[in-house]
Amino acid sequence: MTLTAASGPPNAPQRLDDNLIKVGLDDDPRAAPAPVAAPAPAPAGSADSAAISDPASCTGVTFTRSLKYGGDTMNILDVASGQTKPGGKRPVLVFVAGDSFAGGGDAPTVKPLVEQAMCFAARNNLVAFNVSYRLAPAATWPTGAKDVSAAISWVHENADLFGGNKQEIIPIGYGTGAFHLASFLAHKEFQERDDYVAGAVLVSGIYHPTDVGEGERAYFGTDTSTYDSRSAIPGLTAIEEPILLAWSSADAPTFIAQGEKLRQQLCNAGHCPRTAILTKRGSPASVFDLDGESGNLHDRLRQLIGQIDARGLP
């Protein structure tokens, strides 16, 4: 399905009203001659297809596609927003999700589970962004953190165009995206001016580099003596923003151990995070319990959003 793309220079506000794409269903195709968009289809029988089986979940949601936040073809954002009241500003979620540090493509791939979560967010009075970022071997450490930094700066500058509150930006990192988000938060030198973050969610990530796979070695390099300096854990213990930390008991042992280590280090520093442990393998959709297996993570996310929304400025 062809989607209209809207783009512009990074870190510059742009008025995108004419490029918004309405997402929804209509029984009479003659009533909707303009192109409509929905979350990208997943392969039949896959976990993704089960999670997005209800197309009505995106009724009334507006997607804006392929917004450029940087100079690379991978540096794009998609946005989902619902109907907003005049003058109303809503909390902003920024999804940073990935399954590998490396990839061979030169264009972002659509993640159906992320888009389903974005639709749910937009229908529940939130604005949701999805960040695509560069991959190894073409892009090595710390490119991921720098891309997250540029993307969040762009969101901070442009959130109001979609009814979002730039003071209530909550990024959600999943898988390799959790490391890039954590690295951005932990290493101030990668932040363009500020982190612009009111809170953060980290799900099933690693937070200290490992060399257990080819993707990790492609991104971090083969010199393991540099890994300690590239860890996100020390810097995360020093940030003031609240963190929601989650992993699954079905994750690989490395992910579980790193989640437990980060939680312990944060608690030792006096910043114990809200924590959720899933019983089955999670996904970006788990933050809203769209898989029916992660109610405790959804509850803690609602608590985090409520905390940030109640206090106003981060």
Side-chain angles (χ1 to χ4, degrees), residues 140-177:
T140 57
W141 189 91
T143 303
K146 290 183 175 181
D147 282 356
V148 171
S149 176
I152 290 179
S153 292
W154 193 99
V155 171
H156 182 263
E157 293 291 334
N158 292 278
D160 66 304
L161 300 179
F162 306 94
N165 186 345
K166 67 180 183 179
Q167 302 293 348
E168 297 184 19
I169 296 174
I170 304 171
I172 299 174
Y174 174 80
T176 54

Side-chain angles (χ1 to χ4, degrees), residues 16-197:
L16 304 172
D17 308 66
D18 294 335
N19 296 296
L20 301 183
I21 306 169
K22 286 294 183 183
V23 178
L25 300 175
D26 195 299
D27 292 334
D28 181 3
R30 293 171 300 176
V36 296
S46 69
D48 284 6
S49 66
I52 61 173
S53 59
D54 179 14
S57 63
C58 286
T59 300
V61 174
T62 297
F63 266 82
T64 308
R65 303 284 189 178
S66 301
L67 300 166
K68 293 286 292 181
Y69 71 85
D72 192 87
T73 56
M74 296 292 286
N75 294 148
I76 65 169
L77 294 158
D78 291 335
V79 193
S81 57
Q83 296 180 356
T84 181
K85 297 179 181 178
K89 298 297 180 184
R90 296 166 290 173
V92 176
L93 303 185
V94 181
F95 287 91
V96 186
D99 297 320
S100 175
F101 286 99
D106 58 0
T109 57
V110 175
K111 302 178 178 69
L113 287 171
V114 174
E115 298 216 343
Q116 184 69 358
M118 293 170 70
C119 285
F120 184 91
R123 293 190 66 189
N124 285 271
N125 206 36
L126 303 168
V127 178
F129 290 78
N130 177 53
V131 177
S132 296
Y133 50 84
R134 291 171 287 176
L135 299 170
T140 57
W141 189 91
T143 303
K146 290 183 175 181
D147 282 356
V148 171
S149 176
I152 290 179
S153 292
W154 193 99
V155 171
H156 182 263
E157 293 291 334
N158 292 278
D160 66 304
L161 300 179
F162 306 94
N165 186 345
K166 67 180 183 179
Q167 302 293 348
E168 297 184 19
I169 296 174
I170 304 171
I172 299 174
Y174 174 80
T176 54
F179 178 84
H180 295 317
L181 172 58
S183 187
F184 154 70
L185 293 171
H187 293 270
K188 300 297 184 183
E189 64 271 26
F190 303 148
Q191 298 170 12
E192 295 190 347
R193 290 183 295 276
D194 192 353
D195 64 20
Y196 300 123
V197 166

